[in-house]
Amino acid sequence: MMLKHKLALLFVIFLLVFGSLNVYVTWREVSKTITTEALRLGENMGYFLSQSLVEDVLQNNILTAQNKIDDFKKSNPSVTYVYVLGPDGKLLAHTFSDGFPRRLLDFNEPSKSPSIQPLLTQEGKIYDVSLVLIPAMGGELHIGLREESILEAVKSTILHMTLFGIISVGVGGVLVLLSMGAVLRPIKELENGIRKIMGGDYGHRLPILSDDELGALSRAFNKMSEELEIRNRQIQEYINKLKVTYSKLKRTAERHKALITSVGDGIITLSKDGRILFWNRSAEEFTGIKGSEAVGKHIEEVLRIPAKMDVEDNLGVELSLQDKKGKGAKRVLRIFARKLSNESGERMIILRDVTDEVVKEELNKKLSYYEQLITFGQLAASVAHEVNTPLAAIMLSAELLLLECKDEETKTRVKEIISKVETCKQRIDNILKLARTNQAIERKLVDLAEVIDDSIKQCQEGKCIMYSDSTQILKRYEYGRHFVFGDPVGLREVFENVILNALQAMKDGGKLEIEIIEDREFTYAKISDTGMGIPEEYLGRIFEPFFTTKKKEGCLGLGLKIANAIVKAHGGEILVESKVGAGTVVTIKLPRRYL
Amino acid sequence: MIGREFIVTSIVVLLLFSIVFYLYPPEIGGNVVVVDLNEVSDANVKRTTSSVDVVYFGFDLRLGPKTDIETYAPLMSYLSAKTGKQFKLKYAETYEETQYYLASGLVSFAAIGPVSYVSAELRYGNVIPLLVGLDSIRSKTYSAVIFTRPTSDIMRIEDLKNRSFAFGSFYSTQGHLIPRIMLEKAGIKLGELRRYAYLGSHLACAQAVISGLFDAGGMQDTLAFTLESEGLIRIIAVSEPYPRSMIAANRNVDPDLLEKVKISLLELDPFGKDTELLNWSMTEFPGGFAEVDPEYYNIYFELVERFIQGEGS
């Protein structure tokens, strides 16, 4: 809605409100005037009449009083009736020719002052004005006044007030219409000025048409447009500078992007909540995941990297990844995290390919280990040779002494010497065997069933002193079906060790089950017992040299170490599963062919 | 244009308002009631108003019915406000009527002169003086005067032999009893007057003398001094002081009401807060009221028996 329409609407609202108020006030005033006029008229008329009636009423001159009120009515055409009541309330005189309408006494009993009561009668509307006839004694004088006579007095007043109201509103309305154009002109100028400023014409100025508030508004507008012109110039200069800076920054950013994209490390940037913001080409190469797929996802959905990885962890976390097709060698990545911005909480994840370093390190470790083993083998062979010679001499001398000796006590002691020497020899043999496993083995086609049967037999015949007769042995293999390329002596040593351990685990009897199965590449000899099982904390240490839980039984802790060394020398491995109280399953995995 | 349409509409609305207002003017004086003027009856038409708590107050006619009523009316309003009862004046055409009304209880209180009091007490009993009226110097006594026209050749009371003489009311103390005493003291009996008459009030007496109907007259001192100061009369003799008029009461009036009226009248201060209440100078008590013993009026009993009852009877 236009301002002029608003002003007009406002004017109309004011006009209606104040016009209605004016009508209401006029109504009230006229009503009051009519009432006052009626009372005044009645009082004026009645006062002199009542004064003249007092003596008559007091002295009970009814006829005189009647004559007086009759004369009064005749001389006043506006009077419809007059009646007089005495101090005792009794009707004394009236002007009704056909008798007194007694219902009139039901209304308008005067108090101290004159009172008025409009009555609707057959003769039209009548205003009954009543006065106290005699103060402090009572008596009433009632005068009935015709409505026309009262309205006649105030009609001209109403007419004048109405005409004056209409003329005032009309003149006011015309003046407002005429003055609206003059009032609105500066506002139109202001509107045009604002449009020009909006169109970029900052040099536009308004004419100052007056010194009032609108003039002040025009001056303020001109001041504002001057300020805008200056600010616009400054902004343009600033924008030009920004453009130059932006161009430089853009080139720098492009260089940095190319650098980051082509760098050998994988670079990933993360938002504060771990969402991937950037994913460079090396990261794509390491993970096999395209940047377009990774960006926007949470890092934990893409890589097994803790989202809140310590950004100060300079050592990094290593992660092994298969290449994208799951073939080929594993890639080892070292992960570093850095803060990018304290304010935004963004972080950078760096993926560095350390596969070559790790492989090199492992090779160095192996090399060092093999060198130690060779040295140990050579030392062991030398020691064994040096010790075996005197042991053989002791053995021979002891056996001769046993043959010659008659004394039983001496015989017992000599036997003890022989037993101890045999133990020493056996242990030296073991050390020699361990040393030999590091040497190249001679291989030939071996029937694994035969080797296992020989091993069982060996264990049953003497090696196992704790073997229980109630132990049941189940063989699930056949001769002539399971061949491997290997050293039969070494393999027998392997199975003897494993089976011996199984039997020792079942001191109170149990079930030993041996099964041979094979796939395309390997033959698996699975030896299961129902013995006591191996505690979990020992499982990782059973192949360590000199680790044993049977020291009391005189075990050295080299059996499984030797067996593992022999199997590894064959290109296989020993797998152990065990549960305390349920038993142990040892699987000896050997390649079917000589590689 | 919308603005002009609104203005024109508003002017039309205002115009319609005015026309409706002019054609149908507002009701005045409260709600209109319908009255059938043909429903008539002249027999025993009377407004029935409750008379409970109305106390009637009588008075001796002094200056004429209208003047006396106008004088006493504000006092009735005052007593109504003070006692919670509605006090109304009871008009009596004669002193005897007033005495009868008071003694019989038709009025409970009355402003009367000593003669009326003594006459009522002698004739009916049952009347007690409640308070004595005071004059402007707060005196409990008043006097009567004998006066003539300023141009009269009568200079002394003794000059009144064979002259006409006007009295006020027959039962008026100042208008009859005291002038009779004054005449008797001067050796003039009623029979020695050429003619005499009882004109009913002091004012009527004064008018009769001033107009030349009578050669001299007897009346109350206050009004006489006022008329003399205006040059209308000449006072030739002033009586001795006698106990003033009173407010008398019927003996059977409720003692509480009696006490309330007594206290209310004693509280009046014509020279202070109540100056505007009454036209005090027109009353028998321009100085207010004072308590009084009934014995104070004993002097009048013998005089009333001799001058009033003797002749009145």
Side-chain angles (χ1 to χ4, degrees), chain A residues 366 370 441 443 448 484-487 491 494-495 521-525 543 560-576 586-595:
Chain A
K366 278 186 180 175
Y370 286 133
I441 55 169
R443 300 192 188 205
L448 207 55
V484 293
F485 277 98
D487 175 10
L491 289 175
V494 170
F495 284 102
E521 293 180 50
F522 293 94
T523 298
Y524 303 91
F543 295 121
L560 279 177
K561 173 66 185 170
I562 291 165
N564 193 37
I566 292 168
V567 171
K568 278 193 172 178
H570 282 75
E573 62 180 322
I574 298 175
L575 307 169
V576 182
V586 178
T587 304
I588 296 163
K589 178 183 170 186
L590 293 165
R592 292 184 66 183
R593 290 173 295 171
Y594 177 61
L595 300 174

Side-chain angles (χ1 to χ4, degrees), chain A residues 8 12 15 27 34 51 88-89 91 94 100-101 103 105 109 117-120 122 125 127 136 140 162 166, chain B residues 3 6 10 15 18 21 26-29 31 33-37 39-42 45-47 49 66 88-89:
Chain A
V12 169
L15 200 69
W27 181 87
I34 290 172
Q51 289 296 308
D88 55 356
L91 179 67
H94 63 83
F100 184 76
R103 278 266 293 155
L105 294 187
E109 185 176 353
Q117 171 66 53
L119 306 171
L120 197 60
Q122 294 91 330
K125 203 168 181 183
Y127 294 95
E140 299 173 26
T162 308
I166 292 166
Chain B
F6 269 114
S10 64
L15 199 63
S18 306
F21 177 70
E27 299 295 344
I28 54 173
N31 296 327
V33 293
V34 179
V35 174
D36 183 2
L37 295 178
E39 193 186 332
V40 297
S41 170
D42 275 342
V45 176
K46 188 177 179 184
R47 192 190 294 278
T49 49
K66 267 182 69 181
K88 277 189 168 182
L89 289 171

Side-chain angles (χ1 to χ4, degrees), chain A residues 24-25 71 121 310 413 552 574 577:
Chain A
Y24 177 72
V25 171
D71 292 344
T121 69
D310 185 2
R413 290 192 177 174
K552 287 181 182 174
I574 298 175
E577 296 170 67

Side-chain angles (χ1 to χ4, degrees), chain A residues 143-205:
Chain A
I143 299 171
L145 296 171
R146 290 181 208 285
E147 185 186 45
E148 293 78 21
S149 62
I150 301 164
L151 288 180
E152 204 57 47
V154 293
K155 250 181 183 176
S156 61
T157 308
I158 298 169
L159 188 64
H160 290 154
M161 287 181 76
T162 308
L163 283 175
F164 179 74
I166 292 166
I167 291 165
S168 301
V169 169
V171 170
V174 170
L175 288 175
V176 166
L177 281 176
L178 292 174
S179 59
M180 206 174 282
V183 171
L184 292 178
R185 194 188 153 201
I187 297 173
K188 277 188 178 175
E189 291 283 349
L190 186 65
E191 184 189 352
N192 289 335
I194 289 169
R195 285 185 196 286
K196 288 195 173 180
I197 293 283
M198 284 168 68
D201 181 6
Y202 297 109
H204 182 77
R205 300 289 182 271

Side-chain angles (χ1 to χ4, degrees), chain B residues 1 10 36 95 110 122 143 153 190 234 279 292 295 301 311:
Chain B
M1 201 164 69
S10 64
D36 183 2
Y95 281 58
L122 288 171
S143 301
D153 58 345
L190 284 179
R234 176 157 56 81
N279 188 358
V292 66
E295 291 78 22
F301 278 87
E311 288 189 30

Side-chain angles (χ1 to χ4, degrees), chain A residues 2-69:
Chain A
M2 302 284 285
L3 182 60
K4 60 185 176 187
H5 295 154
K6 286 181 181 173
L7 285 173
L9 185 62
L10 206 62
F11 171 73
V12 169
I13 290 166
F14 282 147
L15 200 69
L16 287 174
V17 170
F18 288 107
S20 303
L21 195 66
N22 182 38
V23 167
Y24 177 72
V25 171
T26 306
W27 181 87
R28 288 285 306 272
E29 286 305 311
V30 169
S31 174
K32 205 188 292 178
T33 305
I34 290 172
T35 309
T36 309
E37 177 65 17
L39 280 173
R40 188 188 61 77
L41 197 63
E43 194 177 4
N44 285 348
M45 287 176 168
Y47 177 73
F48 293 106
L49 182 60
S50 66
Q51 289 296 308
S52 70
L53 288 171
V54 169
E55 301 272 356
D56 300 324
V57 171
L58 288 173
Q59 290 161 13
N60 212 21
N61 294 327
I62 305 301
L63 194 58
T64 314
Q66 182 66 50
N67 289 335
K68 283 181 179 173
I69 62 173

Side-chain angles (χ1 to χ4, degrees), chain A residues 395-549:
Chain A
M395 190 71 172
L396 184 61
S397 299
E399 283 172 347
L400 287 174
L401 188 60
L402 186 65
L403 291 172
E404 291 171 4
C405 183
K406 306 283 187 193
D407 181 15
E408 283 301 317
E409 188 183 347
T410 307
K411 276 183 178 179
T412 304
R413 290 192 177 174
V414 171
K415 282 179 182 174
E416 196 175 333
I417 290 168
I418 291 168
S419 173
K420 295 293 181 188
V421 170
E422 279 182 345
T423 303
C424 286
K425 280 183 74 179
Q426 193 179 350
R427 288 184 178 174
I428 288 165
D429 284 348
N430 283 339
I431 291 169
L432 281 172
K433 282 173 189 171
L434 185 61
R436 272 187 223 115
T437 58
N438 299 323
Q439 296 169 6
I441 55 169
E442 274 185 38
R443 300 192 188 205
K444 59 182 180 180
L445 198 61
V446 176
D447 186 346
L448 207 55
E450 191 182 332
V451 171
I452 292 169
D453 269 0
D454 285 349
S455 300
I456 293 169
K457 194 177 175 183
Q458 187 66 28
C459 287
Q460 286 175 327
E461 281 177 355
K463 280 194 174 178
C464 183
I465 54 171
M466 293 176 287
Y467 171 62
S468 171
D469 292 337
S470 62
T471 301
Q472 185 187 359
I473 299 174
L474 297 174
K475 300 176 183 176
R476 302 189 185 282
Y477 49 84
E478 293 174 24
Y479 274 64
R481 292 196 58 175
H482 310 290
F483 294 98
V484 293
F485 277 98
D487 175 10
V489 178
L491 289 175
R492 199 174 289 120
E493 184 69 26
V494 170
F495 284 102
E496 276 178 21
N497 269 305
V498 174
I499 290 165
L500 188 60
N501 279 335
L503 292 172
Q504 285 176 341
M506 298 185 289
K507 289 175 187 171
D508 301 326
K511 189 168 75 178
L512 176 67
E513 186 177 349
I514 302 168
E515 183 184 16
I516 301 174
I517 54 175
E518 43 188 42
D519 59 18
R520 196 173 170 181
E521 293 180 50
F522 293 94
T523 298
Y524 303 91
K526 198 172 175 184
I527 299 134
S528 310
D529 67 62
T530 56
M532 63 185 74
I534 305 166
E536 197 176 339
E537 62 267 26
Y538 295 158
L539 268 178
R541 300 184 61 192
I542 55 176
F543 295 121
E544 287 181 10
F546 306 112
F547 175 77
T548 180
T549 58

